[in-house]
PDB file of all heavy atoms in Angstrom:
ATOM      1  N   ASN U  21      13.520  -0.444   1.996  1.00  0.00           N
ATOM      2  CA  ASN U  21      12.565  -0.535   3.098  1.00  0.00           C
ATOM      3  C   ASN U  21      11.138  -0.782   2.620  1.00  0.00           C
ATOM      4  O   ASN U  21      10.208  -0.821   3.438  1.00  0.00           O
ATOM      5  CB  ASN U  21      12.603   0.736   3.953  1.00  0.00           C
ATOM      6  CG  ASN U  21      13.944   0.891   4.648  1.00  0.00           C
ATOM      7  OD1 ASN U  21      14.555  -0.080   5.074  1.00  0.00           O
ATOM      8  ND2 ASN U  21      14.418   2.115   4.728  1.00  0.00           N
ATOM      9  N   ALA U  22      10.943  -0.932   1.316  1.00  0.00           N
ATOM     10  CA  ALA U  22       9.603  -1.195   0.781  1.00  0.00           C
ATOM     11  C   ALA U  22       9.089  -2.530   1.300  1.00  0.00           C
ATOM     12  O   ALA U  22       9.853  -3.482   1.469  1.00  0.00           O
ATOM     13  CB  ALA U  22       9.634  -1.193  -0.740  1.00  0.00           C
ATOM     14  N   THR U  23       7.788  -2.572   1.558  1.00  0.00           N
ATOM     15  CA  THR U  23       7.163  -3.802   2.025  1.00  0.00           C
ATOM     16  C   THR U  23       5.974  -4.137   1.134  1.00  0.00           C
ATOM     17  O   THR U  23       5.281  -3.241   0.657  1.00  0.00           O
ATOM     18  CB  THR U  23       6.683  -3.667   3.486  1.00  0.00           C
ATOM     19  OG1 THR U  23       5.830  -2.526   3.597  1.00  0.00           O
ATOM     20  CG2 THR U  23       7.867  -3.518   4.427  1.00  0.00           C
ATOM     21  N   PHE U  24       5.766  -5.435   0.932  1.00  0.00           N
ATOM     22  CA  PHE U  24       4.646  -5.876   0.108  1.00  0.00           C
ATOM     23  C   PHE U  24       3.400  -6.007   0.976  1.00  0.00           C
ATOM     24  O   PHE U  24       3.459  -6.516   2.082  1.00  0.00           O
ATOM     25  CB  PHE U  24       4.949  -7.222  -0.562  1.00  0.00           C
ATOM     26  CG  PHE U  24       3.846  -7.675  -1.464  1.00  0.00           C
ATOM     27  CD1 PHE U  24       3.766  -7.214  -2.767  1.00  0.00           C
ATOM     28  CD2 PHE U  24       2.853  -8.527  -0.990  1.00  0.00           C
ATOM     29  CE1 PHE U  24       2.731  -7.603  -3.601  1.00  0.00           C
ATOM     30  CE2 PHE U  24       1.811  -8.921  -1.811  1.00  0.00           C
ATOM     31  CZ  PHE U  24       1.751  -8.456  -3.117  1.00  0.00           C
ATOM     32  N   HIS U  25       2.267  -5.533   0.434  1.00  0.00           N
ATOM     33  CA  HIS U  25       0.986  -5.638   1.132  1.00  0.00           C
ATOM     34  C   HIS U  25      -0.075  -6.131   0.159  1.00  0.00           C
ATOM     35  O   HIS U  25      -0.064  -5.767  -1.017  1.00  0.00           O
ATOM     36  CB  HIS U  25       0.545  -4.274   1.681  1.00  0.00           C
ATOM     37  CG  HIS U  25       1.440  -3.758   2.752  1.00  0.00           C
ATOM     38  ND1 HIS U  25       1.149  -3.890   4.085  1.00  0.00           N
ATOM     39  CD2 HIS U  25       2.617  -3.101   2.687  1.00  0.00           C
ATOM     40  CE1 HIS U  25       2.114  -3.342   4.797  1.00  0.00           C
ATOM     41  NE2 HIS U  25       3.022  -2.853   3.975  1.00  0.00           N
ATOM     42  N   SER U  26      -0.986  -6.914   0.682  1.00  0.00           N
ATOM     43  CA  SER U  26      -2.135  -7.351  -0.112  1.00  0.00           C
ATOM     44  C   SER U  26      -3.075  -6.168  -0.341  1.00  0.00           C
ATOM     45  O   SER U  26      -3.024  -5.170   0.371  1.00  0.00           O
ATOM     46  CB  SER U  26      -2.889  -8.465   0.613  1.00  0.00           C
ATOM     47  OG  SER U  26      -2.052  -9.584   0.759  1.00  0.00           O
ATOM     48  N   ALA U  27      -3.954  -6.334  -1.306  1.00  0.00           N
ATOM     49  CA  ALA U  27      -4.910  -5.281  -1.647  1.00  0.00           C
ATOM     50  C   ALA U  27      -5.911  -5.063  -0.518  1.00  0.00           C
ATOM     51  O   ALA U  27      -6.233  -5.985   0.230  1.00  0.00           O
ATOM     52  CB  ALA U  27      -5.656  -5.649  -2.920  1.00  0.00           C
ATOM     53  N   LEU U  28      -6.389  -3.849  -0.423  1.00  0.00           N
ATOM     54  CA  LEU U  28      -7.524  -3.516   0.422  1.00  0.00           C
ATOM     55  C   LEU U  28      -8.612  -3.045  -0.538  1.00  0.00           C
ATOM     56  O   LEU U  28      -8.510  -1.968  -1.129  1.00  0.00           O
ATOM     57  CB  LEU U  28      -7.181  -2.423   1.431  1.00  0.00           C
ATOM     58  CG  LEU U  28      -8.298  -2.020   2.390  1.00  0.00           C
ATOM     59  CD1 LEU U  28      -8.795  -3.229   3.200  1.00  0.00           C
ATOM     60  CD2 LEU U  28      -7.823  -0.932   3.327  1.00  0.00           C
ATOM     61  N   ARG U  29      -9.590  -3.884  -0.734  1.00  0.00           N
ATOM     62  CA  ARG U  29     -10.621  -3.654  -1.756  1.00  0.00           C
ATOM     63  C   ARG U  29     -11.180  -2.234  -1.700  1.00  0.00           C
ATOM     64  O   ARG U  29     -11.489  -1.716  -0.639  1.00  0.00           O
ATOM     65  CB  ARG U  29     -11.731  -4.674  -1.570  1.00  0.00           C
ATOM     66  CG  ARG U  29     -12.746  -4.655  -2.672  1.00  0.00           C
ATOM     67  CD  ARG U  29     -13.816  -5.696  -2.404  1.00  0.00           C
ATOM     68  NE  ARG U  29     -14.938  -5.481  -3.275  1.00  0.00           N
ATOM     69  CZ  ARG U  29     -15.241  -6.284  -4.287  1.00  0.00           C
ATOM     70  NH1 ARG U  29     -14.542  -7.366  -4.506  1.00  0.00           N
ATOM     71  NH2 ARG U  29     -16.271  -6.019  -5.052  1.00  0.00           N
ATOM     72  N   ASN U  30     -11.294  -1.626  -2.867  1.00  0.00           N
ATOM     73  CA  ASN U  30     -11.799  -0.259  -3.042  1.00  0.00           C
ATOM     74  C   ASN U  30     -10.921   0.808  -2.395  1.00  0.00           C
ATOM     75  O   ASN U  30     -11.357   1.943  -2.216  1.00  0.00           O
ATOM     76  CB  ASN U  30     -13.238  -0.108  -2.532  1.00  0.00           C
ATOM     77  CG  ASN U  30     -14.205  -0.977  -3.302  1.00  0.00           C
ATOM     78  OD1 ASN U  30     -14.070  -1.151  -4.506  1.00  0.00           O
ATOM     79  ND2 ASN U  30     -15.175  -1.536  -2.600  1.00  0.00           N
ATOM     80  N   PHE U  31      -9.698   0.448  -2.033  1.00  0.00           N
ATOM     81  CA  PHE U  31      -8.814   1.431  -1.427  1.00  0.00           C
ATOM     82  C   PHE U  31      -7.458   1.474  -2.131  1.00  0.00           C
ATOM     83  O   PHE U  31      -7.003   2.520  -2.524  1.00  0.00           O
ATOM     84  CB  PHE U  31      -8.661   1.154   0.064  1.00  0.00           C
ATOM     85  CG  PHE U  31      -8.092   2.311   0.835  1.00  0.00           C
ATOM     86  CD1 PHE U  31      -8.740   3.533   0.881  1.00  0.00           C
ATOM     87  CD2 PHE U  31      -6.907   2.167   1.523  1.00  0.00           C
ATOM     88  CE1 PHE U  31      -8.208   4.599   1.598  1.00  0.00           C
ATOM     89  CE2 PHE U  31      -6.366   3.220   2.249  1.00  0.00           C
ATOM     90  CZ  PHE U  31      -7.014   4.440   2.286  1.00  0.00           C
ATOM     91  N   TYR U  32      -6.817   0.305  -2.271  1.00  0.00           N
ATOM     92  CA  TYR U  32      -5.557   0.231  -3.007  1.00  0.00           C
ATOM     93  C   TYR U  32      -5.322  -1.211  -3.445  1.00  0.00           C
ATOM     94  O   TYR U  32      -5.817  -2.140  -2.826  1.00  0.00           O
ATOM     95  CB  TYR U  32      -4.366   0.758  -2.193  1.00  0.00           C
ATOM     96  CG  TYR U  32      -4.212   0.141  -0.819  1.00  0.00           C
ATOM     97  CD1 TYR U  32      -3.637  -1.105  -0.651  1.00  0.00           C
ATOM     98  CD2 TYR U  32      -4.636   0.822   0.309  1.00  0.00           C
ATOM     99  CE1 TYR U  32      -3.497  -1.667   0.600  1.00  0.00           C
ATOM    100  CE2 TYR U  32      -4.505   0.270   1.574  1.00  0.00           C
ATOM    101  CZ  TYR U  32      -3.934  -0.967   1.709  1.00  0.00           C
ATOM    102  OH  TYR U  32      -3.796  -1.526   2.952  1.00  0.00           O
ATOM    103  N   PRO U  33      -4.567  -1.397  -4.533  1.00  0.00           N
ATOM    104  CA  PRO U  33      -4.268  -2.756  -5.004  1.00  0.00           C
ATOM    105  C   PRO U  33      -3.111  -3.356  -4.211  1.00  0.00           C
ATOM    106  O   PRO U  33      -2.458  -2.667  -3.424  1.00  0.00           O
ATOM    107  CB  PRO U  33      -3.848  -2.528  -6.463  1.00  0.00           C
ATOM    108  CG  PRO U  33      -3.197  -1.193  -6.426  1.00  0.00           C
ATOM    109  CD  PRO U  33      -4.002  -0.383  -5.420  1.00  0.00           C
ATOM    110  N   SER U  34      -2.866  -4.626  -4.421  1.00  0.00           N
ATOM    111  CA  SER U  34      -1.687  -5.232  -3.811  1.00  0.00           C
ATOM    112  C   SER U  34      -0.448  -4.616  -4.453  1.00  0.00           C
ATOM    113  O   SER U  34      -0.481  -4.184  -5.601  1.00  0.00           O
ATOM    114  CB  SER U  34      -1.702  -6.744  -4.013  1.00  0.00           C
ATOM    115  OG  SER U  34      -1.668  -7.045  -5.389  1.00  0.00           O
ATOM    116  N   GLY U  35       0.613  -4.559  -3.689  1.00  0.00           N
ATOM    117  CA  GLY U  35       1.846  -4.006  -4.248  1.00  0.00           C
ATOM    118  C   GLY U  35       2.837  -3.637  -3.169  1.00  0.00           C
ATOM    119  O   GLY U  35       2.619  -3.872  -1.973  1.00  0.00           O
ATOM    120  N   TRP U  36       3.914  -3.049  -3.628  1.00  0.00           N
ATOM    121  CA  TRP U  36       5.011  -2.643  -2.753  1.00  0.00           C
ATOM    122  C   TRP U  36       4.786  -1.212  -2.299  1.00  0.00           C
ATOM    123  O   TRP U  36       4.665  -0.301  -3.110  1.00  0.00           O
ATOM    124  CB  TRP U  36       6.342  -2.776  -3.480  1.00  0.00           C
ATOM    125  CG  TRP U  36       6.709  -4.204  -3.720  1.00  0.00           C
ATOM    126  CD1 TRP U  36       6.372  -4.978  -4.794  1.00  0.00           C
ATOM    127  CD2 TRP U  36       7.453  -5.031  -2.841  1.00  0.00           C
ATOM    128  NE1 TRP U  36       6.860  -6.246  -4.625  1.00  0.00           N
ATOM    129  CE2 TRP U  36       7.544  -6.309  -3.441  1.00  0.00           C
ATOM    130  CE3 TRP U  36       8.065  -4.823  -1.607  1.00  0.00           C
ATOM    131  CZ2 TRP U  36       8.220  -7.363  -2.841  1.00  0.00           C
ATOM    132  CZ3 TRP U  36       8.736  -5.885  -1.011  1.00  0.00           C
ATOM    133  CH2 TRP U  36       8.801  -7.134  -1.639  1.00  0.00           C
ATOM    134  N   TRP U  37       4.731  -1.034  -0.982  1.00  0.00           N
ATOM    135  CA  TRP U  37       4.567   0.298  -0.417  1.00  0.00           C
ATOM    136  C   TRP U  37       5.936   0.970  -0.410  1.00  0.00           C
ATOM    137  O   TRP U  37       6.820   0.605   0.362  1.00  0.00           O
ATOM    138  CB  TRP U  37       4.005   0.221   0.981  1.00  0.00           C
ATOM    139  CG  TRP U  37       2.576  -0.252   1.077  1.00  0.00           C
ATOM    140  CD1 TRP U  37       1.867  -0.942   0.129  1.00  0.00           C
ATOM    141  CD2 TRP U  37       1.700  -0.066   2.174  1.00  0.00           C
ATOM    142  NE1 TRP U  37       0.609  -1.199   0.579  1.00  0.00           N
ATOM    143  CE2 TRP U  37       0.464  -0.672   1.838  1.00  0.00           C
ATOM    144  CE3 TRP U  37       1.829   0.541   3.418  1.00  0.00           C
ATOM    145  CZ2 TRP U  37      -0.619  -0.673   2.698  1.00  0.00           C
ATOM    146  CZ3 TRP U  37       0.749   0.539   4.283  1.00  0.00           C
ATOM    147  CH2 TRP U  37      -0.466  -0.055   3.912  1.00  0.00           C
ATOM    148  N   LEU U  38       6.108   1.944  -1.261  1.00  0.00           N
ATOM    149  CA  LEU U  38       7.374   2.672  -1.348  1.00  0.00           C
ATOM    150  C   LEU U  38       7.430   3.796  -0.323  1.00  0.00           C
ATOM    151  O   LEU U  38       8.498   4.132   0.185  1.00  0.00           O
ATOM    152  CB  LEU U  38       7.556   3.240  -2.765  1.00  0.00           C
ATOM    153  CG  LEU U  38       7.407   2.228  -3.909  1.00  0.00           C
ATOM    154  CD1 LEU U  38       7.607   2.914  -5.248  1.00  0.00           C
ATOM    155  CD2 LEU U  38       8.357   1.057  -3.734  1.00  0.00           C
ATOM    156  N   VAL U  39       6.281   4.403  -0.060  1.00  0.00           N
ATOM    157  CA  VAL U  39       6.133   5.436   0.973  1.00  0.00           C
ATOM    158  C   VAL U  39       4.925   5.039   1.817  1.00  0.00           C
ATOM    159  O   VAL U  39       3.830   4.854   1.291  1.00  0.00           O
ATOM    160  CB  VAL U  39       5.904   6.831   0.351  1.00  0.00           C
ATOM    161  CG1 VAL U  39       5.577   7.864   1.427  1.00  0.00           C
ATOM    162  CG2 VAL U  39       7.112   7.267  -0.462  1.00  0.00           C
ATOM    163  N   THR U  40       5.136   4.886   3.112  1.00  0.00           N
ATOM    164  CA  THR U  40       4.058   4.503   4.024  1.00  0.00           C
ATOM    165  C   THR U  40       3.685   5.706   4.878  1.00  0.00           C
ATOM    166  O   THR U  40       4.558   6.415   5.377  1.00  0.00           O
ATOM    167  CB  THR U  40       4.508   3.341   4.932  1.00  0.00           C
ATOM    168  OG1 THR U  40       4.841   2.227   4.101  1.00  0.00           O
ATOM    169  CG2 THR U  40       3.414   2.935   5.907  1.00  0.00           C
ATOM    170  N   ARG U  41       2.388   5.937   5.031  1.00  0.00           N
ATOM    171  CA  ARG U  41       1.884   7.042   5.837  1.00  0.00           C
ATOM    172  C   ARG U  41       0.978   6.504   6.937  1.00  0.00           C
ATOM    173  O   ARG U  41       0.330   5.485   6.768  1.00  0.00           O
ATOM    174  CB  ARG U  41       1.093   8.029   4.972  1.00  0.00           C
ATOM    175  CG  ARG U  41       1.904   8.691   3.899  1.00  0.00           C
ATOM    176  CD  ARG U  41       2.910   9.632   4.492  1.00  0.00           C
ATOM    177  NE  ARG U  41       3.603  10.358   3.430  1.00  0.00           N
ATOM    178  CZ  ARG U  41       4.858  10.719   3.489  1.00  0.00           C
ATOM    179  NH1 ARG U  41       5.583  10.417   4.546  1.00  0.00           N
ATOM    180  NH2 ARG U  41       5.400  11.393   2.504  1.00  0.00           N
ATOM    181  N   ARG U  42       0.954   7.225   8.045  1.00  0.00           N
ATOM    182  CA  ARG U  42       0.059   6.899   9.151  1.00  0.00           C
ATOM    183  C   ARG U  42      -1.233   7.674   8.960  1.00  0.00           C
ATOM    184  O   ARG U  42      -1.210   8.845   8.620  1.00  0.00           O
ATOM    185  CB  ARG U  42       0.676   7.292  10.496  1.00  0.00           C
ATOM    186  CG  ARG U  42       1.984   6.613  10.815  1.00  0.00           C
ATOM    187  CD  ARG U  42       1.922   5.260  11.392  1.00  0.00           C
ATOM    188  NE  ARG U  42       0.999   5.123  12.499  1.00  0.00           N
ATOM    189  CZ  ARG U  42       0.386   3.983  12.776  1.00  0.00           C
ATOM    190  NH1 ARG U  42       0.601   2.916  12.043  1.00  0.00           N
ATOM    191  NH2 ARG U  42      -0.433   3.906  13.793  1.00  0.00           N
ATOM    192  N   SER U  43      -2.346   7.025   9.213  1.00  0.00           N
ATOM    193  CA  SER U  43      -3.634   7.694   9.141  1.00  0.00           C
ATOM    194  C   SER U  43      -3.721   8.737  10.243  1.00  0.00           C
ATOM    195  O   SER U  43      -3.323   8.480  11.384  1.00  0.00           O
ATOM    196  CB  SER U  43      -4.768   6.678   9.301  1.00  0.00           C
ATOM    197  OG  SER U  43      -5.990   7.347   9.446  1.00  0.00           O
ATOM    198  N   GLN U  44      -4.253   9.908   9.911  1.00  0.00           N
ATOM    199  CA  GLN U  44      -4.400  10.956  10.922  1.00  0.00           C
ATOM    200  C   GLN U  44      -5.502  10.639  11.930  1.00  0.00           C
ATOM    201  O   GLN U  44      -5.657  11.332  12.930  1.00  0.00           O
ATOM    202  CB  GLN U  44      -4.624  12.315  10.268  1.00  0.00           C
ATOM    203  CG  GLN U  44      -5.621  12.331   9.148  1.00  0.00           C
ATOM    204  CD  GLN U  44      -5.623  13.661   8.414  1.00  0.00           C
ATOM    205  OE1 GLN U  44      -5.653  14.700   9.040  1.00  0.00           O
ATOM    206  NE2 GLN U  44      -5.584  13.630   7.107  1.00  0.00           N
ATOM    207  N   PHE U  45      -6.248   9.574  11.673  1.00  0.00           N
ATOM    208  CA  PHE U  45      -7.320   9.169  12.584  1.00  0.00           C
ATOM    209  C   PHE U  45      -6.920   7.980  13.445  1.00  0.00           C
ATOM    210  O   PHE U  45      -7.765   7.404  14.119  1.00  0.00           O
ATOM    211  CB  PHE U  45      -8.588   8.840  11.792  1.00  0.00           C
ATOM    212  CG  PHE U  45      -9.082  10.007  11.000  1.00  0.00           C
ATOM    213  CD1 PHE U  45      -8.963  10.012   9.624  1.00  0.00           C
ATOM    214  CD2 PHE U  45      -9.615  11.113  11.627  1.00  0.00           C
ATOM    215  CE1 PHE U  45      -9.388  11.103   8.881  1.00  0.00           C
ATOM    216  CE2 PHE U  45     -10.045  12.209  10.910  1.00  0.00           C
ATOM    217  CZ  PHE U  45      -9.935  12.206   9.532  1.00  0.00           C
ATOM    218  N   GLY U  46      -5.653   7.584  13.377  1.00  0.00           N
ATOM    219  CA  GLY U  46      -5.182   6.481  14.198  1.00  0.00           C
ATOM    220  C   GLY U  46      -5.690   5.130  13.767  1.00  0.00           C
ATOM    221  O   GLY U  46      -5.722   4.206  14.567  1.00  0.00           O
ATOM    222  N   THR U  47      -6.105   5.005  12.503  1.00  0.00           N
ATOM    223  CA  THR U  47      -6.649   3.727  12.025  1.00  0.00           C
ATOM    224  C   THR U  47      -5.612   2.902  11.284  1.00  0.00           C
ATOM    225  O   THR U  47      -5.957   2.050  10.483  1.00  0.00           O
ATOM    226  CB  THR U  47      -7.865   3.980  11.105  1.00  0.00           C
ATOM    227  OG1 THR U  47      -7.447   4.840  10.036  1.00  0.00           O
ATOM    228  CG2 THR U  47      -9.011   4.616  11.870  1.00  0.00           C
ATOM    229  N   GLY U  48      -4.359   3.138  11.548  1.00  0.00           N
ATOM    230  CA  GLY U  48      -3.314   2.358  10.900  1.00  0.00           C
ATOM    231  C   GLY U  48      -2.574   3.153   9.851  1.00  0.00           C
ATOM    232  O   GLY U  48      -2.481   4.377   9.912  1.00  0.00           O
ATOM    233  N   SER U  49      -2.034   2.445   8.874  1.00  0.00           N
ATOM    234  CA  SER U  49      -1.236   3.100   7.848  1.00  0.00           C
ATOM    235  C   SER U  49      -1.811   2.791   6.467  1.00  0.00           C
ATOM    236  O   SER U  49      -2.672   1.930   6.315  1.00  0.00           O
ATOM    237  CB  SER U  49       0.216   2.649   7.951  1.00  0.00           C
ATOM    238  OG  SER U  49       0.309   1.244   7.858  1.00  0.00           O
ATOM    239  N   TYR U  50      -1.307   3.525   5.487  1.00  0.00           N
ATOM    240  CA  TYR U  50      -1.735   3.362   4.099  1.00  0.00           C
ATOM    241  C   TYR U  50      -0.554   3.686   3.193  1.00  0.00           C
ATOM    242  O   TYR U  50       0.403   4.348   3.619  1.00  0.00           O
ATOM    243  CB  TYR U  50      -2.946   4.244   3.784  1.00  0.00           C
ATOM    244  CG  TYR U  50      -2.662   5.728   3.850  1.00  0.00           C
ATOM    245  CD1 TYR U  50      -2.254   6.430   2.713  1.00  0.00           C
ATOM    246  CD2 TYR U  50      -2.791   6.431   5.040  1.00  0.00           C
ATOM    247  CE1 TYR U  50      -1.991   7.780   2.765  1.00  0.00           C
ATOM    248  CE2 TYR U  50      -2.527   7.784   5.099  1.00  0.00           C
ATOM    249  CZ  TYR U  50      -2.132   8.460   3.959  1.00  0.00           C
ATOM    250  OH  TYR U  50      -1.864   9.795   4.011  1.00  0.00           O
ATOM    251  N   PRO U  51      -0.599   3.247   1.942  1.00  0.00           N
ATOM    252  CA  PRO U  51       0.505   3.560   1.030  1.00  0.00           C
ATOM    253  C   PRO U  51       0.355   4.961   0.437  1.00  0.00           C
ATOM    254  O   PRO U  51      -0.611   5.247  -0.253  1.00  0.00           O
ATOM    255  CB  PRO U  51       0.364   2.494  -0.062  1.00  0.00           C
ATOM    256  CG  PRO U  51      -1.097   2.178  -0.082  1.00  0.00           C
ATOM    257  CD  PRO U  51      -1.567   2.340   1.334  1.00  0.00           C
ATOM    258  N   GLY U  52       1.312   5.841   0.739  1.00  0.00           N
ATOM    259  CA  GLY U  52       1.350   7.145   0.080  1.00  0.00           C
ATOM    260  C   GLY U  52       1.760   6.955  -1.372  1.00  0.00           C
ATOM    261  O   GLY U  52       1.242   7.624  -2.270  1.00  0.00           O
ATOM    262  N   LEU U  53       2.697   6.032  -1.596  1.00  0.00           N
ATOM    263  CA  LEU U  53       3.141   5.666  -2.945  1.00  0.00           C
ATOM    264  C   LEU U  53       3.307   4.155  -2.992  1.00  0.00           C
ATOM    265  O   LEU U  53       3.995   3.575  -2.156  1.00  0.00           O
ATOM    266  CB  LEU U  53       4.458   6.355  -3.299  1.00  0.00           C
ATOM    267  CG  LEU U  53       5.113   5.984  -4.631  1.00  0.00           C
ATOM    268  CD1 LEU U  53       4.186   6.269  -5.807  1.00  0.00           C
ATOM    269  CD2 LEU U  53       6.429   6.732  -4.803  1.00  0.00           C
ATOM    270  N   LEU U  54       2.650   3.542  -3.953  1.00  0.00           N
ATOM    271  CA  LEU U  54       2.646   2.088  -4.099  1.00  0.00           C
ATOM    272  C   LEU U  54       3.042   1.728  -5.522  1.00  0.00           C
ATOM    273  O   LEU U  54       2.612   2.390  -6.477  1.00  0.00           O
ATOM    274  CB  LEU U  54       1.228   1.575  -3.803  1.00  0.00           C
ATOM    275  CG  LEU U  54       0.938   0.089  -3.952  1.00  0.00           C
ATOM    276  CD1 LEU U  54      -0.114  -0.322  -2.927  1.00  0.00           C
ATOM    277  CD2 LEU U  54       0.435  -0.254  -5.335  1.00  0.00           C
ATOM    278  N   ALA U  55       3.867   0.703  -5.661  1.00  0.00           N
ATOM    279  CA  ALA U  55       4.204   0.163  -6.981  1.00  0.00           C
ATOM    280  C   ALA U  55       3.426  -1.131  -7.166  1.00  0.00           C
ATOM    281  O   ALA U  55       3.610  -2.094  -6.414  1.00  0.00           O
ATOM    282  CB  ALA U  55       5.699  -0.100  -7.098  1.00  0.00           C
ATOM    283  N   HIS U  56       2.539  -1.136  -8.140  1.00  0.00           N
ATOM    284  CA  HIS U  56       1.745  -2.327  -8.456  1.00  0.00           C
ATOM    285  C   HIS U  56       2.537  -3.169  -9.458  1.00  0.00           C
ATOM    286  O   HIS U  56       3.081  -2.634 -10.421  1.00  0.00           O
ATOM    287  CB  HIS U  56       0.392  -1.902  -9.040  1.00  0.00           C
ATOM    288  CG  HIS U  56      -0.528  -3.040  -9.307  1.00  0.00           C
ATOM    289  ND1 HIS U  56      -1.034  -3.841  -8.304  1.00  0.00           N
ATOM    290  CD2 HIS U  56      -1.037  -3.522 -10.459  1.00  0.00           C
ATOM    291  CE1 HIS U  56      -1.818  -4.751  -8.832  1.00  0.00           C
ATOM    292  NE2 HIS U  56      -1.832  -4.593 -10.142  1.00  0.00           N
ATOM    293  N   MET U  57       2.598  -4.476  -9.205  1.00  0.00           N
ATOM    294  CA  MET U  57       3.419  -5.373 -10.020  1.00  0.00           C
ATOM    295  C   MET U  57       2.554  -6.407 -10.734  1.00  0.00           C
ATOM    296  O   MET U  57       1.498  -6.788 -10.241  1.00  0.00           O
ATOM    297  CB  MET U  57       4.420  -6.126  -9.138  1.00  0.00           C
ATOM    298  CG  MET U  57       5.237  -5.287  -8.184  1.00  0.00           C
ATOM    299  SD  MET U  57       6.523  -4.340  -8.975  1.00  0.00           S
ATOM    300  CE  MET U  57       7.748  -5.585  -9.242  1.00  0.00           C
ATOM    301  N   ARG U  58       3.046  -6.830 -11.876  1.00  0.00           N
ATOM    302  CA  ARG U  58       2.476  -7.975 -12.585  1.00  0.00           C
ATOM    303  C   ARG U  58       3.659  -8.725 -13.187  1.00  0.00           C
ATOM    304  O   ARG U  58       4.512  -8.112 -13.840  1.00  0.00           O
ATOM    305  CB  ARG U  58       1.504  -7.516 -13.677  1.00  0.00           C
ATOM    306  CG  ARG U  58       0.775  -8.697 -14.323  1.00  0.00           C
ATOM    307  CD  ARG U  58      -0.359  -8.258 -15.241  1.00  0.00           C
ATOM    308  NE  ARG U  58      -1.369  -7.500 -14.489  1.00  0.00           N
ATOM    309  CZ  ARG U  58      -1.801  -6.287 -14.846  1.00  0.00           C
ATOM    310  NH1 ARG U  58      -1.332  -5.681 -15.908  1.00  0.00           N
ATOM    311  NH2 ARG U  58      -2.714  -5.675 -14.125  1.00  0.00           N
ATOM    312  N   ASP U  59       3.731 -10.016 -12.956  1.00  0.00           N
ATOM    313  CA  ASP U  59       4.856 -10.833 -13.421  1.00  0.00           C
ATOM    314  C   ASP U  59       6.197 -10.242 -12.989  1.00  0.00           C
ATOM    315  O   ASP U  59       7.151 -10.184 -13.756  1.00  0.00           O
ATOM    316  CB  ASP U  59       4.810 -10.992 -14.947  1.00  0.00           C
ATOM    317  CG  ASP U  59       3.567 -11.716 -15.421  1.00  0.00           C
ATOM    318  OD1 ASP U  59       3.101 -12.620 -14.688  1.00  0.00           O
ATOM    319  OD2 ASP U  59       3.059 -11.376 -16.509  1.00  0.00           O
ATOM    320  N   ARG U  60       6.235  -9.766 -11.734  1.00  0.00           N
ATOM    321  CA  ARG U  60       7.444  -9.234 -11.098  1.00  0.00           C
ATOM    322  C   ARG U  60       7.985  -7.982 -11.792  1.00  0.00           C
ATOM    323  O   ARG U  60       9.165  -7.675 -11.718  1.00  0.00           O
ATOM    324  CB  ARG U  60       8.502 -10.311 -10.969  1.00  0.00           C
ATOM    325  CG  ARG U  60       8.008 -11.490 -10.130  1.00  0.00           C
ATOM    326  CD  ARG U  60       8.966 -12.643 -10.088  1.00  0.00           C
ATOM    327  NE  ARG U  60      10.048 -12.544  -9.140  1.00  0.00           N
ATOM    328  CZ  ARG U  60       9.948 -12.717  -7.827  1.00  0.00           C
ATOM    329  NH1 ARG U  60       8.786 -12.928  -7.299  1.00  0.00           N
ATOM    330  NH2 ARG U  60      11.002 -12.650  -7.062  1.00  0.00           N
TER     331      ARG U  60
END
């Protein structure tokens, strides 16, 4: 169920979101656990 997301500057790098969390402020979601990849 992991999904790939582009980086959000100064927040997290691009990568596969292994655990996705909802913001407690209703501003969307963020990666609780992300796997950053280089050359797959």
Side-chain angles (χ1 to χ4, degrees):
N21 295 323
T23 54
F24 183 84
H25 294 262
S26 297
L28 181 58
R29 188 180 167 109
N30 297 323
F31 196 61
Y32 53 80
S34 62
W36 291 89
W37 291 19
L38 307 180
V39 173
T40 300
R41 297 291 185 214
R42 300 277 312 151
S43 171
Q44 45 189 313
F45 300 108
T47 56
S49 56
Y50 65 91
L53 175 59
L54 177 147
H56 184 65
M57 310 286 282
R58 187 170 299 127
D59 297 326
R60 300 174 82 76

